[in-house]
Amino acid sequence: MTAQPQSQPRIPADAGTTGGVPAAPHPAGPVQSATWRRVPVTVWIAGVFAGLLLLAAFAPGVLATHDPRAITLGSPLAAPSWEHWFGTDQSGRDLYSRIVHGTTQSLLIGLGSAAVGVGLAVVFGSWAALGGRWADAVIGRAIEVLFAFPILLLAMVFIAVYGPSVQTLILAVGLGIAPGYARMVRAQVMSVRRSGYVQAAQALGHHPGRVLAQHILPNALRPLLAVLTLGIGQSIVWASGLAFLGFGVAPPSPEWGALLEAGRPYIIEAWWLEIIPGLAVLATALTATVLGKFVESTLEGER
Amino acid sequence: MSVTTETLTTAPAQPSSPEPVRRGRPVTSTAALIGKKVLGALFVIWAAASITFLIQSLLPGDRATLLLNQQTGQVQERSAEELAPINEQFGFDDPLLVQYVTFLGGLLRGDLGISYTLYQPVTTVIGDQIVPTLVLTFTALAVAWALAIVLLLLTARRAPWVSRIFSGLESAAAALPQYWLGIILLVVFSLWLGLFPVVSGSGTAGLVLPALTLGIPLAGFLAQVMRAEFERTMDEPFVLTARARGMSDGGVRLRHVLRHSLLPGLSLTGWAVGAQFSAAVIAENVFARPGLGRVLVTAVNGRDLPVVCGVVMLVALVYVITNLIVDTAYILVDPRLKEAA
């Protein structure tokens, strides 16, 4: 498991000589280009797919072949064909175009949940790491308690209380993924706090607030870019699972979870209504994971 | 199950990293250490119960009105006369602290309250449906372990391309969303090949596909964690010794190496029990199988909070107890941990 980026940042060579300790060691040009040449093929595939996703999110009209709401009379539940790449749904709407048009909302749900989860994790994780023994003990315990609630069940409690809606979904999934990330942030901040350049800055008599803002947080939180990417993929899967159970966005919408829910009654006649939107979810999640891991390893390599 | 291996870092401390054995003073006695774990577990259970109580009492809107509206299927304002008996019965008018004490007292007696929609004790509702879910969860755990072990024995530390292909397959399996895997299994094996019933029911034939749905992703996770330990152990001197004694490769793997790689898998299982319950909720809905999952979905739709919270608390309890057992087993099995603690 290489999930936890725990490598100790190196002490910059000029840490002791200059007054302002560089906050983040900057990558040198040649190192970066060498990294680029070694990009594995999976990352290329993920990158291309991510590009298509963004295109679908911002300009769905470019990729879609049909109007996502247009009803083709006489061909409800048509199997995938040259005309309808992913087949049609119960009203004869083109599934491919609906998936393309649903991208924006699905990505926003994933991004929103990941932002909520990682945001909470940053606040409470750094608080636990820097707030002294008591803060660490209390937050550590709270995280332990939250682990006893599986993400899906925690989300369902929220939905039972507040009723199903996009906001509830984002909040619930975000809260569900937060404890795991909070532990990562705590470990990260702890390791940075004990590192040489922070000690150097403290020895130089810098104000604790300045040390925190200039040295600890930027270095501890940089790997979070990778974590956020991973979180988006994870959130999309959780959100689609909840949608599959009927707790997501309401069906007329082409959001992927909604497509999954809408296709459920037709599973016997039209497998593509379930399997293809699920594949979109899976491919997006894998893309996020591959890119996230790549960013993580690149950042570690730069240190 | 999540798509990344990230969640694995949340598993209880993994002793897989070869910590140097610290000799010298033993820090704590085994009994004291286990006692500390038990106290910690009790704390988590109490906190989980308190959280579910808070959630129930912080429900927006009047609970008696909600309850009455859910029962009659109408949404309307209710008069005080209509609400009074309900408030009386459920104690909604009592001060919060009194309700909390009543709630905790009930828990100690194994009373989880009364369902808002079914008007039955929550324990009865759960008790009626828990058996198929438990059967599914534990069958899936067994399937996952069997798959992971066979995979490891056959593929770990073989030709590089074999190991690479199979560790790739493991990551892919771990990433599969359960509902999707379930649908694929349903479409291929029930609809196209007709090998299994489309509506699972509670029979044995109907258990196969749901157990695979839960077991395959978990097997991917298990094999991932255990593979690292397995391959490390293959380099240990005692493996060389065993080989030098003339033991066959298969024998070494089975008798010596496997044993070492079980530990990280065991701690992952402790963590996975809770997640398997979530997955069971999904699998039961894909395969139309009776069980807690369907009770839970109905309860969430009906905003039947005592049932929802009851199920969640039960899962939390199972999670805590499993992890307590795993942790204790660890301390007893691996003395290095005791000294590290």
Side-chain angles (χ1 to χ4, degrees), chain A residues 1 3-4 141 147-150 152-153 157 160-161 180 230 234 240 244 247 260 264 267 274-275 278-279 282 293, chain B residues 2-3 5-6 8-10 43 47 55 59 177 179-180 183 192 274 278 285-286 296 300-301 303 312 315-316 319:
Chain A
M1 295 303 96
Q4 223 151 327
R141 282 286 173 196
F147 270 133
F149 296 103
L152 197 77
L153 297 195
V157 172
V161 172
L230 294 169
Q234 208 189 351
S240 67
F244 177 79
F247 304 126
L260 283 168
R264 269 185 77 184
I267 178 75
E274 289 293 284
I275 294 196
L279 196 60
L282 181 63
K293 295 252 182 234
Chain B
S2 81
V3 69
T5 51
E6 233 53 39
L8 292 187
T9 57
T10 65
F43 170 81
I55 289 170
L59 181 71
Y179 64 85
W180 195 68
I183 290 167
W192 292 354
S278 306
N285 280 282
V286 172
L296 190 61
V300 172
N301 278 321
R303 309 189 71 182
V312 170
V315 174
Y319 171 90

Side-chain angles (χ1 to χ4, degrees), chain B residues 19-105:
Chain B
E19 289 256 325
V21 181
R22 277 189 292 153
R23 306 197 185 285
R25 57 191 181 101
V27 182
T28 338
S29 77
T30 309
L33 207 60
I34 294 175
K36 220 172 121 188
K37 295 264 180 210
V38 172
L39 278 184
L42 285 177
F43 170 81
V44 172
I45 292 171
W46 167 76
S50 304
I51 291 174
T52 48
F53 171 80
L54 266 182
I55 289 170
Q56 290 188 56
S57 50
L58 294 180
L59 181 71
D62 181 53
R63 272 196 284 177
T65 309
L66 173 79
L67 204 154
L68 212 53
N69 283 340
Q70 288 290 356
Q71 273 177 350
T72 53
Q74 299 163 316
V75 177
Q76 59 185 70
E77 287 293 311
R78 299 292 176 166
S79 64
E81 295 87 70
E82 280 181 293
L83 297 178
I86 294 172
N87 279 327
E88 175 69 28
Q89 189 190 349
F90 285 87
F92 290 155
D93 283 340
D94 295 340
L96 209 58
L97 199 64
V98 174
Q99 288 188 42
Y100 180 58
V101 172
T102 317
F103 173 78
L104 283 187

Side-chain angles (χ1 to χ4, degrees), chain B residues 103-267:
Chain B
F103 173 78
L104 283 187
L107 279 189
L108 288 179
R109 281 179 278 111
D111 176 7
L112 290 167
I114 292 170
S115 157
Y116 289 174
T117 51
L118 304 169
Y119 257 138
Q120 279 176 315
V122 173
T123 39
T124 314
V125 177
I126 292 178
D128 284 348
Q129 297 290 330
I130 197 170
V131 175
T133 304
L134 284 180
V135 169
L136 174 58
T137 311
F138 285 99
T139 314
L141 277 181
V143 167
W145 270 96
L147 282 176
I149 286 177
V150 169
L151 205 65
L152 272 186
L153 288 177
L154 294 180
T155 69
R157 219 2 106 72
R158 301 283 186 194
W161 64 271
V162 173
S163 292
R164 198 172 305 155
I165 286 180
F166 279 94
S167 65
L169 279 180
E170 281 157 23
S171 318
L176 287 175
Q178 277 100 356
Y179 64 85
W180 195 68
L181 178 59
I183 290 167
I184 288 191
L185 292 176
L186 182 74
V187 167
V188 173
F189 291 101
S190 295
L191 295 178
W192 292 354
L193 302 177
L195 293 177
F196 296 101
V198 174
V199 173
S200 284
S202 46
T204 321
L207 185 61
V208 178
L209 294 182
L212 282 176
T213 305
L214 267 64
I216 290 175
L218 183 60
F221 273 97
L222 279 175
Q224 273 182 330
V225 237
M226 283 158 61
R227 181 179 291 270
E229 186 66 23
F230 197 96
E231 300 196 331
R232 210 184 351 257
T233 315
M234 286 293 275
D235 294 333
E236 293 279 332
F238 65 79
V239 171
L240 192 67
T241 314
R243 298 282 294 128
R245 280 205 321 264
M247 205 171 180
S248 70
D249 182 54
V252 170
R253 284 167 180 265
L254 197 63
R255 292 278 306 278
H256 294 290
V257 181
L258 183 63
R259 210 175 274 197
H260 280 257
S261 55
L262 291 184
L263 282 178
L266 202 65
S267 77

Side-chain angles (χ1 to χ4, degrees), chain A residues 191-213:
Chain A
S191 86
V192 169
R193 197 187 59 162
R194 295 200 197 102
S195 65
Y197 58 86
V198 169
Q199 285 172 356
Q202 281 167 341
L204 286 169
H206 285 314
H207 188 268
R210 189 177 157 198
V211 176
L212 180 72

